[in-house]
């Protein structure tokens, strides 16, 4: 059910027009972000009185993971926060998408979300609170479907609307999905199609609605995470604001390997290529491509394909080092070469 079906006249308010960017495309560019957090590794190697830090800032993984006291069998706690500006105009759908995106960070680590708190920024003098309620309702419905409790949150009066969640979950510390565990000879699987960025940008510009994009973004990565673990995978990340190439570059760099991508094997949503040809490329996508280009051998790959592979996704799928049933294999990890990424195949 969408917000418009609940009686909220969202068609009179285009939420995307109140934001400078949409969804994960409004992230701080990856190169700038790495400069900001450089050197902020915790003192003492990440060992604290409450437990051992298993995953922190070092590799830019999807969430932090801490092993709780209690010996080798003790569970690990997974914690993350994610929020962004409106990616669609329907408030209920925006809530669903933002919640699925926040929960995805836990799934990308191989964890199970347990509890979340809302993060809401709202221009109280510009937008009615009934729209904010629809946003929160969408988030609650997706979290409930995930079996994750929602226990309050925090709100701020802000000139620009933003919504998301801080999520806490658990994982088996011996069965984590990490971005630094990739090994040569491993295939790469992608569990959701690309093209969310260009379709969202077209929606923001024209008001056209793309149900296939909305449902893809609102879909949980729970089943993909479970399937990856069942298949024995130990390395994964989710594909969001830095695009497929950006997140794959981080994975390859952290794992000390080279990633090879076959563009012909990458799935795209219906309408994505048309939107790209029409020029609906976000600034975030162009910054993603600029960031990875010095580390990538593009061969004869054309510019439009490069941009779509760098397209800034919102609540995208999991990128798994391993074969996941039902997900296309889009490439492989190989021994480290002169480039971290190779697009179009080797040789």
């Amino acid at each position: 059910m969408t917000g418009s079906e609940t009686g909220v006249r969202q068609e009179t308010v285009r939420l995307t027009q109140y934001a400078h960017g949409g969804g994960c495309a409004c992230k701080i560019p990856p190169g700038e972000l790495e400069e900001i957090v450089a050197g902020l590794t915790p003192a003492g190697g990440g060992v604290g009185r409450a437990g051992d830090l298993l995953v922190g800032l070092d590799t830019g993984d999807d969430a932090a993971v801490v092993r709780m006291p209690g010996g080798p069998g003790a569970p690990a706690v997974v914690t993350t926060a994610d929020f962004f500006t409106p990616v669609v105009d329907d408030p209920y759908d925006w809530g669903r998408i933002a919640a699925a995106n926040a929960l995805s960070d836990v799934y990308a680590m191989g964890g199970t979300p347990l509890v979340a708190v809302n993060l809401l920024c709202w221009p109280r003098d510009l937008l009615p609170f009934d729209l904010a309620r629809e946003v929160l309702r969408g988030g609650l419905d997706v979290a409930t479907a995930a079996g994750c409790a929602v226990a309050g949150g925090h709100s701020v009066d802000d000139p620009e609307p933003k919504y998301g969640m801080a999520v806490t979950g658990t994982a088996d510390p011996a069965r984590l999905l990490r971005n630094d565990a990739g090994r040569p000879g491993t295939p790469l699987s992608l569990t959701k199609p690309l093209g969310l960025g260009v379709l969202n940008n077209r929606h923001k510009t024209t008001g056209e609605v793309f149900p296939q994009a909305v449902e893809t973004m609102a879909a949980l990565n729970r089943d993909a995470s479970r399937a990856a673990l069942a298949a024995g995978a130990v390395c994964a990340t989710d594909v969001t604001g830095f695009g497929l190439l950006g997140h794959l570059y981080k994975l390859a760099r952290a794992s000390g390997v080279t990633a090879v991508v076959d563009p012909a094997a990458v799935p795209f949503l219906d309408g994505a290529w048309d939107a790209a040809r029409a020029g609906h490329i976000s600034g975030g996508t162009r910054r993603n491509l600029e960031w990875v280009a010095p580390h990538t051998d593009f061969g004869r790959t054309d510019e439009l394909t490069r941009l779509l592979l760098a397209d800034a996704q919102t609540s995208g799928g999991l990128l798994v080092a391993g074969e996941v049933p039902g997900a296309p294999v889009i490439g492989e990890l190989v021994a480290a070469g002169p480039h971290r990424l190779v697009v179009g195949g080797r040789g």
Side-chain angles (χ1 to χ4, degrees):
M1 181 180 292
T2 64
S4 57
E5 291 174 318
T6 68
V8 177
R9 297 194 61 191
Q10 68 88 23
E11 68 271 12
T12 64
V13 176
R14 294 204 57 209
L15 288 174
T16 56
Q17 304 308 298
Y18 289 83
H20 73 283
C24 292
C26 68
K27 281 185 174 182
I28 292 175
E32 296 177 21
L33 181 61
E34 290 191 340
E35 291 181 8
I36 295 170
V37 301
L40 296 181
T41 302
V47 179
R49 287 178 295 174
D52 295 340
L53 184 65
L54 301 179
V55 181
L57 279 173
D58 293 352
T59 64
D61 218 325
D62 296 293
V65 182
V66 178
R67 189 203 311 270
M68 297 304 293
V77 173
V78 184
T79 184
T80 184
D82 210 315
F83 63 100
F84 47 66
T85 53
V87 68
V88 292
D89 290 325
D90 186 295
Y92 178 77
D93 284 342
W94 175 31
R96 291 199 299 147
I97 292 163
N101 182 74
L103 293 164
S104 178
D105 284 341
V106 176
Y107 293 131
M109 302 303 301
T112 300
L114 295 180
V115 62
V117 292
N118 290 308
L119 304 172
L120 178 69
C121 299
W122 201 255
R124 52 188 293 273
D125 293 330
L126 295 176
L127 293 173
F129 279 121
D130 59 351
L131 296 182
R133 179 180 176 82
E134 285 299 291
V135 176
L136 295 173
R137 187 173 70 86
L140 176 62
D141 282 356
V142 163
T144 300
C148 178
V150 179
H154 186 64
S155 60
V156 173
D157 184 359
D158 191 299
E160 189 175 59
K162 305 175 184 73
Y163 173 65
M165 288 178 164
V167 186
T168 300
T170 60
D172 181 345
R175 300 185 68 218
L176 293 175
L177 298 173
R178 305 174 56 122
N179 72 353
D180 62 354
R183 297 295 177 262
T186 309
L188 291 167
S189 301
L190 182 64
T191 67
K192 286 185 183 181
L194 300 185
L196 294 164
V198 289
L199 291 176
N200 289 338
N201 208 30
R202 185 164 187 161
H203 170 67
K204 178 179 173 64
T205 302
T206 68
E208 296 172 83
V209 177
F210 300 98
Q212 71 275 28
V214 172
E215 293 312 311
T216 297
M217 290 185 287
L220 293 170
N221 280 328
R222 173 184 55 199
D223 292 347
S225 178
R226 291 175 177 174
L229 289 171
V234 296
C235 178
T237 188
D238 63 353
V239 180
T240 56
F242 300 154
L244 172 66
L245 293 184
H247 289 285
L248 184 54
Y249 167 62
K250 290 177 64 177
L251 184 153
R253 183 181 61 181
S255 298
V257 298
T258 287
V260 180
V261 177
D262 177 6
V266 177
F268 289 91
L269 286 165
D270 290 344
W273 283 92
D274 288 342
R277 293 186 189 100
H280 297 286
I281 308 292
S282 70
T285 291
R286 296 187 186 279
R287 290 189 291 270
N288 289 342
L289 184 57
E290 181 181 358
W291 182 53
V292 301
H295 315 285
T296 305
D297 176 1
F298 281 107
R300 298 181 179 179
T301 307
D302 63 86
E303 182 71 7
L304 193 64
T305 301
R306 298 183 190 190
L307 285 165
L308 277 168
L309 293 175
D311 189 38
Q313 306 297 280
T314 295
S315 193
L318 297 187
L319 176 64
V320 180
E323 292 195 48
V324 178
V329 171
I330 65 165
E332 63 177 330
L333 300 180
V334 300
H339 294 88
R340 284 299 178 197
L341 300 180
V342 177
V343 177
R346 291 175 292 170

